[in-house]
């Protein structure tokens, strides 16, 4: 006989002064599981007991500027009510509830046996490092500057320039949907050839995360064909396709390449304080459960910024020890230039990907020089040197710091 | 040669006083299409011109209570940048942008040629009415009171009771995921038999919208098997599965039954005024484009309420004339009892589904009496009678009004 297991979900709720929060929490626990309880005949209650949710915790935490009371409600939902997939989980614990007043989902905790029925990352941080033969340092990724309307040959040449700069990975832009000019498998094969050409010069192989798109009815077979065509990684817009697409890709043994989860549309869910779902749930917990090896999210320092505490919670959700799920690698993104590397390193250390688009391509020496500037910055922080020190021996980093600044040494507040 | 076509997307943006809104809008139009424009060589500009977005409209509309300026920005995106699917559309027009400051997506308008590449509703209002042989009145639906843990036979008996009350459709609860006790096809066959048994007594056939769940890799084949097993409709949690699952079901000729779109999780997207996506986009425009025949959303009158103006915009998006997309039928839901029928009828007239769970099952005479009370209320409003008048000849409606009230006649403000 197995012991009952529960998914614990925590909500931040706002309500009128004097709200009976325990009653509210009980209403959720019963309403979202067996529906109603008091109406049930006694004999039926015995059979339904194992399906019944219960209140695990209720904390009144304060009052907001508008005089509304705030409470944290933690509900325990029996795992036997769910199938092990994110649509079941999210529909059950925040489907109807999301529309029922001022309520925000702020944490989901799966018990180990239930978590083990999800794939989690197929490669994780360790597997990715093995593929790249890159240890004891942050990894480096660059993003195609522009993709719409470019043909395969031009993109492969762009890839080659980026790979020459010594980046570990190159990713497609997430808005790459129309493949008329550069069909998916052709593009993958061409970029792989470019990776090998660069490797002959640099000794380093560069992964290419191609944007996996198309109808969900075809996307799994397309992913397998991509692998056959030489794909070394795949990019997925998880939130517009649904977490279940990620999960089934992660479960597919033939899709034996790392999967990179793009955060597109996440900002439609997380920024409000009263509604929606916390960023670390959307981009951390659920991405890892469903099988992202690599998780992108807005950094605290760039052009599309997220509050620092929240970025740390996302990274924690992706990487904290877990008995059944591998660790996914965090990628704080958007508007990153070499001068920001010390902040990123202070926050996350080695287990992250430093990711840049304009910060690579906008380098006055070109994309390859841009990559080398980042690698110089990474080598500096790993070896306990400042970027100024690195600039004494690297022209590329000096140029980058002159152009974009060196805030960690010039005292600009971050 | 075809004329360039554009998807028009409108955003509500908040910004500091003095924000240059035209510059902001231009940044979106260029940034989300070709990436950057000024850096491009002249020859390249010629080739890229057709991919370039442009600003269609900028309106500064006021200042919010915190002193932030508000503006409506309308951007025209060339349709050639997209494939005809919602992941492409949403990722492109609100993927990265959703994370970039205080911005909310409030409208999407597709040009006819592009819209025609989407399925839209397969049956729509007219097709559904033909299936039900029900014209010139609102339709009536009831919801299984509770489903988790019940076996096939019990559910079929519940279905029979609901069908006896003369409802047009019965829907599963959206949280029905674990099918151990009542497997999908068995449940469908049993409920169909119950529908036929009830039809022998009432002369009326009742559709059953079974909750379609499971891995996306199997869900399409499961839907086809459901149809073979006698399914008369399907319910889908569109937002947790992704709009593309709905679209591919709607496009599948073998899934020749109406599809009902559940709004679960929509409240994670629409309630904030600064962020997210408007309810009429999430539950109206996109549901219809992707192929929902039947669209559920919170009514303005029940337990899970939405602001009335917003509910009317959802209904409008589902039903307004469109050259290429059939009309979907609106279903204002949650906490509906017979006394609210006059409000629903005033708002939407005949082309809606009146939908109730507790308002059917909670009737003191049982679920069948609950259905008859609703049918009496519907007959009354269609014939220009009050509910009090109906109660003179229907004991069931009188009992319902006594229990839940008759606010449209007792002057309760709605
Ligand atoms: Mg991008
Ligand atoms: Mg429900």
């Amino acid at each position: 006989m197995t012991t009952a297991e529960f998914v614990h979900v925590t909500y931040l709720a706002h309500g009128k002064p004097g709200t009976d929060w325990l009653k509210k929490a009980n209403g959720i626990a019963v309403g979202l599981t067996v529906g109603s309880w008091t109406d049930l005949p006694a004999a039926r209650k015995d059979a339904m007991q194992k399906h019944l949710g219960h209140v695990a915790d209720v904390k009144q935490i304060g009052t907001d500027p508008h005089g509304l009371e705030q409470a944290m409600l933690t509900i325990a939902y029996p795992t036997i009510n769910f199938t092990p997939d994110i649509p079941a989980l999210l529909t059950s614990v925040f489907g109807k509830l999301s529309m029922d007043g001022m309520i925000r989902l702020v944490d989901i905790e799966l018990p180990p046996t239930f978590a083990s029925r999800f794939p989690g990352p197929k490669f994780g941080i360790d597997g990715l490092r093995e593929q790249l033969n890159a240890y004891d340092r942050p990894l480096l990724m660059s993003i195609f500057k522009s993709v719409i309307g470019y043909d395969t040959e031009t993109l492969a040449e762009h890839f080659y320039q980026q790979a020459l700069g010594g980046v570990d990975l190159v990713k497609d832009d997430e808005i790459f949907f129309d493949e008329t000019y550069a069909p998916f498998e052709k593009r993958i094969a061409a970029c792989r050839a470019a990776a090998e050409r660069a490797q002959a010069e640099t000794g380093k192989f560069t992964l290419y995360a191609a944007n996996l798109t198309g109808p969900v009815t075809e996307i799994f077979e397309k992913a397998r064909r991509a692998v056959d065509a030489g794909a070394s990684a795949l990019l997925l817009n998880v939130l517009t396709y649904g977490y279940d697409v990620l999960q089934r890709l992660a479960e597919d043994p033939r899709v034996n390449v790392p999967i990179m989860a793009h955060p597109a549309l996440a900002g439609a869910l997380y920024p409000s304080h009263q509604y929606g779902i916390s960023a670390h749930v959307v981009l951390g917990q659920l991405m890892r459960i469903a099988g992202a090896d690599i998780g992108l999210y807005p950094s605290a320092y760039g052009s599309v910024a997220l509050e620092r505490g929240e970025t740390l919670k996302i990274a924690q959700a992706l990487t904290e020890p877990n008995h059944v799920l591998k660790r996914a690698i965090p990628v704080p993104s958007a508007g990153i230039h070499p001068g920001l590397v010390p902040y990123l390193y202070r926050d996350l250390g080695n287990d992250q990907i430093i990711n840049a688009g304009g910060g690579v391509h906008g380098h006055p020496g070109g994309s390859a020089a841009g990559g080398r500037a980042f690698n110089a910055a990474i080598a500096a922080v790993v070896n306990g040197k400042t970027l100024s020190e690195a600039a004494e021996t690297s022209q590329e980093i000096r140029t980058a710091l002159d152009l974009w600044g060196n805030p960690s040494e010039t005292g600009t507040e971050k």
Side-chain angles (χ1 to χ4, degrees), chain A:
Chain A
M1 185 185 139
T2 54
T3 314
E5 277 202 322
F6 298 91
V7 174
H8 284 83
V9 182
T10 302
Y11 308 93
L12 168 63
H14 286 70
K16 291 193 193 113
T19 296
D20 183 340
W21 291 111
L22 182 58
K23 188 180 167 195
K24 170 90 183 165
N26 253 313
I28 295 171
V30 177
L32 300 190
T33 54
V34 301
S36 64
W37 187 248
T38 44
D39 303 353
L40 286 179
R44 190 70 206 148
K45 281 186 181 172
D46 285 348
M48 294 299 281
Q49 184 67 47
K50 63 178 181 293
H51 297 285
L52 183 63
H54 66 263
V55 179
D57 197 21
V58 171
K59 271 195 210 84
Q60 200 179 312
I61 58 168
T63 304
D64 82 355
H66 307 283
L68 293 174
E69 278 183 15
Q70 299 171 305
M72 298 289 263
L73 317 176
T74 301
I75 310 294
Y77 297 95
T79 56
I80 61 158
N81 293 349
F82 308 128
T83 45
D85 57 78
I86 311 290
L89 203 58
L90 278 183
T91 301
S92 301
V93 308
F94 206 48
K96 181 177 176 181
L97 186 60
S98 72
M99 297 178 277
D100 198 3
M102 278 191 149
I103 190 150
R104 175 170 171 84
L105 195 169
V106 299
D107 196 68
I108 294 184
E109 198 192 304
L110 304 191
T113 310
F114 188 60
S116 72
R117 299 173 69 193
F118 287 85
K122 195 179 281 172
F123 295 87
I125 298 181
D126 297 336
L128 187 63
R129 288 196 180 282
E130 270 176 48
Q131 293 209 343
L132 289 165
N133 192 29
Y135 304 92
D136 306 318
R137 64 167 174 83
L139 302 175
L140 177 61
M141 175 158 75
S142 73
I143 308 169
F144 275 104
K145 187 180 184 180
S146 199
V147 289
I148 287 181
Y150 287 87
D151 64 16
T152 307
E153 292 65 34
T154 309
L155 291 172
E157 177 57 28
H158 284 188
F159 186 97
Y160 175 69
Q161 288 301 325
Q162 294 173 81
L164 276 190
V167 302
D168 298 295
L169 306 94
V170 174
K171 70 172 270 292
D172 268 346
D173 205 352
E174 78 282 1
I175 60 170
F176 199 164
F177 285 97
D178 174 31
E179 303 185 316
T180 315
Y181 308 95
F184 192 59
E185 290 162 69
K186 239 185 102 183
R187 197 164 93 230
I188 286 169
C191 287
R192 182 160 194 121
E196 287 166 1
R197 195 151 60 95
Q199 185 180 20
E201 294 189 44
T202 64
K204 185 166 168 179
F205 184 71
T206 301
L207 302 190
Y208 169 39
N211 194 23
L212 180 62
T213 64
V216 284
T217 40
E218 297 169 17
I219 209 166
F220 302 98
E221 189 50 37
K222 189 174 172 184
R224 293 180 202 119
R225 285 201 321 268
V227 171
D228 294 344
S232 48
L234 291 169
L235 175 69
L236 182 70
N237 286 304
V238 176
L239 297 170
T240 52
Y241 273 104
Y243 286 102
D244 204 58
V245 172
L246 171 60
Q247 176 165 343
R248 306 312 162 183
L249 288 169
E251 284 174 353
D252 190 332
R254 284 183 55 196
V255 183
N256 59 344
V257 297
I259 303 173
M260 187 180 297
H262 198 280
L265 203 66
L269 292 163
Y270 67 65
S272 160
H273 293 286
Q274 290 91 30
Y275 301 104
I277 311 178
S278 292
H280 69 274
V281 176
V282 175
L283 298 175
Q285 295 178 328
L286 296 178
M287 290 295 186
R288 183 178 181 185
I289 291 167
D293 295 288
I294 302 168
L296 277 74
Y297 57 90
S299 93
Y301 307 109
S303 50
V304 177
L306 188 61
E307 192 267 316
R308 178 168 177 260
E310 196 50 49
T311 68
L312 297 179
K313 283 167 82 175
I314 295 172
Q316 187 188 344
L318 292 172
T319 60
E320 67 190 350
N322 183 299
H323 287 296
V324 295
L325 301 171
K326 287 186 181 152
R327 300 162 71 227
I329 192 158
V331 193
S333 298
I336 302 299
H337 61 77
L340 298 174
V341 170
Y343 296 123
L344 297 170
Y345 193 72
R346 172 196 63 190
D347 285 350
L348 301 181
N350 284 337
D351 282 341
Q352 66 178 312
I353 297 178
I354 310 281
N355 175 34
V360 167
H361 308 297
H363 193 285
S367 300
R372 285 191 287 267
F374 268 104
N375 271 322
I378 290 170
V381 295
V382 167
N383 293 303
K385 297 218 166 82
T386 64
L387 298 186
S388 305
E389 289 171 302
E392 287 167 20
T393 54
S394 161
Q395 175 63 47
E396 284 101 347
I397 180 75
R398 197 180 323 147
T399 304
L401 298 178
D402 288 348
L403 179 60
W404 290 301
N406 183 12
S408 75
E409 292 178 68
T410 57
T412 314
E413 198 185 326
K414 284 281 171 186

